[in-house]
Amino acid sequence: NLDDDEWTDEFDRVQKAMEATGGAELFSAAFGSVPSVDRLTDWIATKWAPAVLKTYDIAGIRVGARPVYASRIGEREVEIVWQELKDFKSLVVGKMVIEVTDTGITARRTAGDASVGFGSISRKPLNGENILVRRLSDAATQAMEKGLATKPAPTKRRKKQVVEAPVVSTVVSSGAVPIPEPAVAQPTKSETGPRTSGARRSSERARGKRRKAPSKTPEESTGSFE
């Protein structure tokens, strides 16, 4: 955190930077082009600014300084003057300068009357300054609608380049790796025997019974008495 002396030094640095650039920039709008800088500057000074200054939001400011009038300075600039009444005298405490270029408009806060103590740019926003900045955004839109400026070209969005991941094949060529033959399970000793060798067992017979002798034919039985 900064102490009081450091804050003072920081404000002085910002003040000098604003004075070096001609004021604190408050607004900026870009156009495609401005066909006539003179016409747009004249419209802001004679049409747009007087109408805004007459609105209730601006004219209703009763305490402190307020924007009073606008005038054209130079070929491409318009200034709006803030005045404050003190001791029955109107003092210029600050200004807003609107500059018109071939490609847009900008607005910046500048100093007031140095002879009455307002020669430095105010560090705080002037009364009603935020209202004028919002109305300047509307002015830029109106300027394009009236043909005083053209719309800026839409910015092309850069397409994101999608990097495809390399495909890694998990299949190895058949000629590189030999395919092993399936292993045949060898029978154990307990599995050896007729069944394992493929021999068929004769049909079972009842135990304890003898085979019957084949019965003799009648011829064989008569022949035995001869």
Side-chain angles (χ1 to χ4, degrees), residues 61-68 82-86 91 93 127:
I61 299 175
R62 299 302 181 189
V63 180
R66 68 181 180 91
V68 178
W82 268 256
Q83 289 183 344
E84 183 176 5
L85 187 62
K86 284 187 177 182
L91 307 179
V93 301
N127 287 343

Side-chain angles (χ1 to χ4, degrees), residues 143-155:
M144 290 184 288
E145 293 174 352
K146 294 177 179 295
L148 299 173
T150 61
K151 294 182 179 180
T155 56

